[in-house]
Amino acid sequence: MTTVQRKKSSPIAHLTPEDIEQIGVELDAIRDEVMGSRGERDAAYIRRVIAWQRGLELGSRGVLLFSIFPPAWLVGTAGLSVAKILENMEIGHNILHGQWDWMRDPKIHSTKWEWDHASPAEQWKHSHNELHHTYTNVIGRDNDLGYGIMRVDEDQKWHPAHLGQPFYNFVNACFFEYGIAAYDLELGKNLKSKESRRDPKFRAALKKVRNKIGKQVLKDYIVHPALSGPSFLHTIAANFTANLVRNLWSHSVIMCGHFPNGVETFEKTSIEGETRGEWYLRQMLGSANISGSKAMHLMTGNLSHQIEHHLFPDMPSNRYKEIAPKIQDLFQRYGLSYTSGPLPKQVASAWAKVFRLSLPNRGEAAVRRPVEKKAPAVANRWRRAQAPAAAVPAPAPAATVAS
C-alpha cells in the first residue's frame, strides 16, 4: 500500500483500495485515448521545435563570432542560452524518454539521440528513466530526490553536515549537468572501496562520461571560440554563461517538480506489492506543476506539467496541456490536492524547504524517528500492466527504454 512519510493527517486516508484501483482505470483510459491518437500533428510539432532550436543555436553562434562587441555578446549569449535550454528540456529530455519513438524516425529516437549534456544519454536513461521514474520520491531509492547530497524530509536523521546543504544545492545548480553525470555514475558508492573503483562496469561508465565531457569542452571552449578569432575569450565567456543559465534553469524546473510544499515523500515500504493504481497515486502525490504561458511550458520541456509527465512519461510532451484539465478533475473528484503555482512561488517554496531541512527538527517533528526497511526491486511501473489491475506488473525487458 502506498505509504507517505508519517504525517499527522494522511492525504490518502479517505481513499479505499477500490478508489485507488479505479483511479488507475481512469488514468489508463486517458493514456489509451491520447496514445491512440498520435499522428502527424505531433510529429510536425517536434520536428518544428528541433528546426527552430537548431536555427537559433546556429544564428547565435554566428553572432558570437563578433562577441568582442558588447551588443553582439549579449544577443548571442541570450540566444545560445535559450537554444541550450530548449535542446535539453523540450527536445533531449523528452526524446530520451521515448516520447517520439512511435514515429520510427531514426533521427528522433531514444536509442540514437545524444544530447548537449555532460551525462551520456544511455547512462542518464538508466538513472532517470528506469530508477527515478520507478522509485519516484521514495526516500533512499530515488536519487533525484536531493541528489544524494541533501536532507529532503523531516524523518531523515539530521547531521551537522546538513547545515551546508543550501550551499551544496547552489553549487549543484550552477554545475547541474556535471552533478547529474556524477550521480548517474553513483560516485559516492563507487568511490568508497578499492574493489568498486576497479569494477570494470564502473570504469567503463566513467570512461564514457570523461569522453562526453571532453567533447562538450572541445565544442564550447575550444572549437567555437577558435572560430571567433579575436573574439576568442569573449566567446568562451559567452558559452560559459549560456551553460550556467541552462544549468540554473534546469535545476529550478526540476526542483519545482519534486520539492515544493505540497509534494509528498514516501517510505521504502511503500513500493512493496504496489499495484498499478497505487503507483499512479504515488506519481500524483509526489509531483508538482508550474503554471504559466505557452512559452513557459515550452522552456520547461513541458515539465511545468510534471504531474502529467510522471503519470505518462512516454506520452508526447505537447499533449500534457491537453490532458491537464482531466487530471485536475480526477484529483478533485477523489479529494486529492493538485499542487501547482507560478515559477517564482514554486522556486521560493523549494528553496525554503532546502533551508528548513538543513536545520534540526523542531516541535512535533523533532520526536519523529525514521523507519528503514529494505524494499525489493520493482519493475518500471509506468508501463501498461498486462496482469489484472490489482496485480504487480511484470518486469519490463531490460532493453526497453523506460521513462
Side-chain angles (χ1 to χ4, degrees):
M1 179 65 184
T2 299
T3 309
V4 297
Q5 291 291 101
R6 285 177 299 287
K7 301 181 68 173
K8 192 171 183 180
S9 177
S10 171
I12 59 174
H14 62 288
L15 296 178
T16 66
E18 291 74 22
D19 289 333
I20 295 173
E21 294 315 309
Q22 182 58 33
I23 287 173
V25 170
E26 294 190 41
L27 288 171
D28 274 342
I30 293 173
R31 170 184 163 79
D32 289 347
E33 181 181 0
V34 172
M35 301 302 260
S37 65
R38 294 173 299 184
E40 185 53 39
R41 172 171 67 98
D42 305 290
Y45 169 79
I46 190 60
R47 290 190 174 113
R48 184 168 62 248
V49 172
I50 291 173
W52 193 84
Q53 184 275 332
R54 287 176 175 171
L56 178 61
E57 180 174 358
L58 182 61
S60 298
R61 291 196 182 278
V63 171
L64 287 174
L65 294 175
F66 310 97
S67 57
I68 194 172
F69 303 107
W73 190 93
L74 288 172
V75 171
T77 302
L80 187 58
S81 299
V82 172
K84 282 179 172 285
I85 288 171
L86 282 173
E87 197 284 332
N88 271 192
M89 304 299 287
E90 180 66 340
I91 300 173
H93 172 271
N94 294 331
I95 288 176
L96 294 178
H97 264 297
Q99 293 182 6
W100 309 98
D101 287 0
W102 58 273
M103 293 167 56
R104 301 291 192 268
D105 184 341
K107 296 180 180 179
I108 311 175
H109 199 277
S110 62
T111 60
K112 301 294 184 181
W113 192 268
E114 188 56 70
W115 57 348
D116 180 31
H117 200 279
S119 186
E122 283 302 318
Q123 293 185 24
W124 181 85
K125 284 190 290 186
H126 170 69
S127 64
H128 184 80
N129 295 359
E130 297 177 22
L131 299 182
H132 167 59
H133 276 272
T134 294
Y135 301 110
T136 305
N137 279 29
V138 177
I139 293 180
R141 305 294 289 182
D142 181 5
N143 287 336
D144 275 37
L145 191 61
Y147 302 103
I149 61 174
M150 293 194 299
R151 182 172 179 248
V152 295
D153 192 273
E154 283 85 353
D155 277 350
Q156 288 181 285
K157 185 178 180 181
W158 181 84
H159 296 285
H162 288 127
L163 290 170
Q165 77 176 28
F167 174 72
Y168 310 150
N169 195 43
F170 175 71
V171 172
N172 186 42
C174 292
F175 301 96
F176 194 45
E177 61 179 313
Y178 299 102
I180 291 176
Y183 97 78
D184 285 352
L185 288 169
E186 296 184 282
L187 280 184
K189 180 183 75 174
N190 285 313
L191 294 179
K192 280 184 178 180
S193 67
K194 185 180 294 185
E195 291 76 14
S196 59
R197 289 195 297 270
R198 291 179 175 176
D199 183 273
K201 290 184 179 180
F202 170 66
R203 293 175 70 86
L206 182 61
K207 182 179 180 180
K208 289 180 180 179
V209 171
R210 286 201 304 261
N211 290 342
K212 183 67 190 298
I213 291 175
K215 290 178 181 178
Q216 295 295 106
V217 170
L218 181 67
K219 178 189 68 174
D220 279 343
Y221 301 117
I222 298 178
V223 174
H224 288 138
L227 294 174
S228 300
S231 299
F232 181 82
L233 293 179
H234 297 83
T235 301
I236 287 179
N239 286 347
F240 178 83
T241 302
N243 284 329
L244 177 64
V245 170
R246 183 265 311 276
N247 288 337
L248 290 171
W249 176 262
S250 301
H251 180 271
S252 295
V253 171
I254 301 304
M255 284 268 291
C256 289
H258 296 289
F259 215 58
N261 288 329
V263 174
E264 305 292 347
T265 54
F266 305 88
E267 297 188 19
K268 286 184 179 181
T269 53
S270 68
I271 56 176
E272 294 178 356
E274 188 177 59
T275 67
R276 182 165 180 78
E278 290 169 346
W279 183 90
Y280 270 138
L281 183 61
R282 179 156 56 85
Q283 311 312 307
M284 295 163 71
L285 299 174
S287 307
N289 283 6
I290 304 170
S291 58
S293 64
K294 288 184 178 180
M296 169 66 72
H297 298 320
L298 178 66
M299 293 296 288
T300 63
N302 276 288
L303 292 182
S304 48
H305 299 294
Q306 187 72 251
I307 296 171
E308 289 74 20
H309 171 64
H310 263 268
L311 289 171
F312 312 116
D314 61 341
M315 181 179 288
S317 59
N318 61 310
R319 295 297 195 98
Y320 290 145
K321 182 179 180 181
E322 174 186 317
I323 67 169
K326 297 179 181 179
I327 303 301
Q328 291 181 55
D329 175 68
L330 188 147
F331 269 78
Q332 184 176 10
R333 286 190 286 110
Y334 284 93
L336 300 170
S337 178
Y338 187 88
T339 304
S340 184
L343 182 67
K345 175 185 175 183
Q346 298 297 71
V347 169
S349 176
W351 272 98
K353 186 180 286 189
V354 170
F355 277 91
R356 186 180 81 242
L357 293 175
S358 70
L359 302 173
N361 292 343
R362 295 182 179 182
E364 186 176 315
V367 301
R368 291 180 174 180
R369 294 293 182 270
V371 175
E372 294 292 340
K373 291 186 179 180
K374 186 176 180 181
V378 295
N380 301 318
R381 301 187 186 280
W382 63 268
R383 293 201 173 279
R384 183 61 179 269
Q386 300 301 314
V392 178
T400 300
V401 176
S403 185

